[in-house]
Amino acid sequence: MEKRKEFNETLARLRSDRGMTQQQLAERLHVSRTAVSKWETGGGYPNLDSLKDIAVLFDVSIDELLSGSEVLGAAEQENRTASDSRIAAAFAALDIAVLALVFLPLYGIPEPGFIRAAPLPEYYAALGEPVVLTYFVPLVLLPLAGTAEAVTCAFGASPRTAKAVRTISFGVHMFAVLLFAAARQPYATAILFALLVAKTAIAMRALQRRER
């Protein structure tokens, strides 16, 4: 009995039989050439929508494309991708929310007989201390990381890219907590720490689900 070919071999054969390049197939499926290359080298499986498009394009059934074990592998990959997208979306929301710390009245300006709460730009203008400019660094970098996370979520970036962006996000966030704690800014520190705990809980929960 002839051994059944793996999905990557089947896809490469179907594409070759049609005289299509990887770039041409990618354009027909509305994906990147890198994605097609990854599928054909056994680096992963298409999502369900792409599998349906491949089946229609080459006039074959999904059963002809995937073996039983590969169906399970594709389903696991789809679940993992969906989980990664949810994590990226959650991280993006938390990181972009940090921008509010620039505008909330969390910083105390000494006035005769009392301390007036003010947003960060007004706090810097009142004190005129160059060190205060450092406060803006993590409060700008974190929303930028959040924007990058939103982009990876929207455009399906590779897991390596998504992991790198999350690592940068964690690093900048921990720096922000330490910076505001050292500067004795209790309100900003508490908010940043709470957001960091939320991100850690999300990441740990996702890791536990993958290990099950």
Side-chain angles (χ1 to χ4, degrees):
M1 183 175 178
E2 184 180 355
K3 182 181 178 182
R4 175 167 181 155
K5 292 183 180 296
E6 299 293 330
F7 168 76
N8 60 313
E9 297 174 328
T10 301
L11 179 62
R13 177 181 59 78
L14 290 170
R15 177 183 60 77
S16 179
D17 289 348
R18 290 291 185 92
M20 299 174 65
T21 65
Q22 289 185 343
Q23 181 62 43
Q24 288 171 332
L25 178 57
E27 290 173 357
R28 293 290 296 273
L29 299 175
H30 306 290
V31 298
S32 67
R33 191 202 64 79
T34 303
V36 174
S37 177
K38 183 176 72 172
W39 301 340
E40 292 192 356
T41 55
Y45 299 97
N47 60 30
L48 185 57
D49 288 336
S50 292
L51 276 173
K52 291 178 179 178
D53 290 341
I54 292 170
V56 170
L57 178 62
F58 294 119
D59 193 24
V60 296
S61 68
I62 291 180
D63 286 342
E64 292 178 77
L65 291 172
L66 297 174
S67 65
S69 60
E70 286 178 322
V71 170
L72 291 176
E76 289 177 357
Q77 178 179 288
E78 182 109 0
N79 289 336
R80 192 180 307 116
T81 301
S83 176
D84 287 344
S85 295
R86 287 193 294 270
I87 293 172
F91 271 45
L94 292 171
D95 283 344
I96 293 173
V98 167
L99 192 61
L101 272 67
V102 174
F103 305 102
L104 290 175
L106 303 174
Y107 312 92
I109 299 176
E111 299 283 359
F114 69 100
I115 295 179
R116 177 169 59 86
L120 189 55
E122 186 178 347
Y123 178 73
Y124 170 68
L127 271 64
E129 296 178 359
V131 70
V132 177
L133 286 175
T134 310
Y135 299 175
F136 287 94
V137 175
L139 300 185
V140 171
L141 288 180
L142 275 172
L144 288 177
T147 302
E149 287 155 355
V151 170
T152 64
C153 178
F155 294 96
S158 68
R160 181 178 298 179
T161 300
K163 183 179 180 181
V165 174
R166 283 199 296 270
T167 300
I168 293 172
S169 170
F170 264 114
V172 174
H173 207 138
M174 286 188 287
F175 167 72
V177 171
L178 293 174
L179 172 66
F180 282 88
R184 297 182 180 180
Q185 296 291 343
Y187 303 117
T189 301
I191 293 172
L192 284 167
F193 184 73
L195 293 175
L196 181 60
V197 169
K199 287 164 66 173
T200 303
I202 292 169
M204 292 298 294
R205 185 174 180 182
L207 182 61
Q208 290 172 353
R209 285 182 175 176
R210 286 189 179 183
E211 291 177 348
R212 289 176 185 174

